[in-house]
Amino acid sequence: MTGKNVKTWINEISADGVTVQQSQNAYIKWADKYDEDLEKHAFTGPGKVAQIVRDQILNQPVGDVRILDVAAGTGLVARELKKFGFRHIDALEPSEAMLKEAKKAHLYINYFVEFISESQTTIAESSYDVVTGSGLFANEAHVPCEALYEMIRVVKPGGLIVLCGRNHLLNDSETYKRLEPLMDKLESDKKWKKVLREIWPGYLKGIDGVAWCYQVL
Ligand SMILES: C[S@@+](CC[C@H](N)C(=O)[O-])C[C@H]1O[C@@H](n2cnc3c(N)ncnc32)[C@H](O)[C@@H]1O
């Protein structure tokens, strides 16, 4: 038992000024209690992402859909996707400690132990039908806005990118104030097209979530 509550952990991974190294160190300590803690906090981000993927995948049998879950953590998004019958799910996640939990439950097929940023990952272009990400935007020690370019690169034309996070970060975080303007720019540059944007209450207890679904062009 760590004895810390979710708010304390969220501060350790994502308060202003927390570095990538400090954030990653906190995930090492939190990994084996992460799922239990977030269940107590009724975390709905992974379920929201899975539901949107399920609703938007119309022309392909779910069993054939190839999905890359970015910032996969312990695998909560894969758990939810599997409830709908999705099977081909890979993880991209830098924390071995978080992935250890996902591996115990055999949640993913391939594991890419790396950070996503504006630079290219080891993943080949147009490899996936869908990229998912829940809780990937948390402060500058998490996924940078410019990683959207890399997500688009690894998705096939016509494929989907489905992401979600805490809504207040769009106003409160200097980093993520730039997120939606960049999403809009990518749309006017014809890199992708918005399918939906949704705000919902109870992403975590007392915290609204925001989710997006884009189709890659
Ligand atoms: C709040 S957790 C979310 C995990 C999971 N998606 C979920 O919904 O439970 C954020 C995860 O992002 C990972 N992460 C941080 N920076 C990243 C980056 N640049 N690229 C990929 N993953 C990153 C962290 O290691 C951590 O596991």
Side-chain angles (χ1 to χ4, degrees):
M1 271 294 281
T2 60
K4 291 184 191 175
N5 65 28
V6 168
K7 275 197 182 142
T8 311
W9 280 120
I10 288 178
N11 259 331
E12 292 202 14
I13 60 166
S14 67
D16 284 349
V18 169
T19 64
V20 172
Q21 199 51 57
Q22 287 166 335
S23 179
Q24 287 294 304
N25 285 342
Y27 279 116
I28 292 172
K29 294 189 214 131
W30 193 13
D32 65 345
K33 285 282 172 288
Y34 178 92
D35 289 3
E36 189 183 318
D37 283 351
L38 288 186
E39 197 181 327
K40 278 188 217 144
H41 254 251
F43 183 35
T44 58
K48 175 63 72 179
V49 165
Q51 185 65 57
I52 292 172
V53 176
R54 179 68 197 94
D55 291 347
Q56 297 299 330
I57 290 286
L58 300 174
N59 300 322
Q60 223 178 337
V62 289
D64 293 350
V65 179
R66 289 183 51 85
I67 302 175
L68 177 69
D69 185 29
V70 166
T74 57
L76 293 180
V77 172
R79 268 185 204 283
E80 297 295 330
L81 286 166
K82 287 190 164 204
K83 291 181 188 168
F84 292 117
F86 294 102
R87 291 178 285 145
H88 295 284
I89 316 168
D90 293 344
L92 184 144
E93 162 62 48
S95 170
E96 297 267 17
M98 294 289 272
L99 285 181
K100 189 172 155 203
E101 302 303 312
K103 285 178 181 170
K104 277 187 209 163
H106 308 288
L107 290 173
Y108 298 97
I109 296 176
N110 297 299
Y111 292 82
F112 299 95
V113 187
E114 45 189 306
F115 290 90
I116 192 165
S117 69
E118 69 281 9
S119 310
Q120 285 193 11
T121 57
T122 58
I123 298 169
E125 193 176 321
S126 303
S127 296
Y128 291 96
D129 301 299
V130 179
V131 159
T132 54
S134 151
L136 69 172
F137 304 123
N139 81 343
E140 56 272 24
H142 282 72
V143 172
C145 301
E146 289 70 22
L148 296 178
Y149 287 98
E150 180 58 3
M151 294 181 204
I152 290 171
R153 191 186 68 81
V154 302
V155 171
K156 297 172 191 170
L160 300 177
I161 298 181
V162 181
L163 308 171
C164 80
R166 284 177 270 154
N167 185 44
H168 71 88
L169 291 174
L170 301 177
N171 296 315
D172 296 349
S173 153
E174 286 309 315
T175 302
Y176 296 119
K177 278 180 188 165
R178 293 187 298 106
L179 184 63
E180 289 200 309
L182 178 58
M183 289 174 159
D184 292 343
K185 177 182 174 345
L186 290 167
E187 187 158 21
S188 53
D189 289 349
K190 306 220 175 321
K191 304 286 183 205
W192 68 7
K193 186 176 79 179
K194 190 187 284 176
V195 176
L196 68 79
R197 177 189 192 270
E198 184 183 336
I199 293 179
W200 81 99
Y203 171 80
L204 286 163
K205 271 184 206 162
I207 297 177
D208 288 353
V210 56
W212 305 266
C213 175
Y214 280 89
Q215 182 173 41
V216 172
L217 298 177

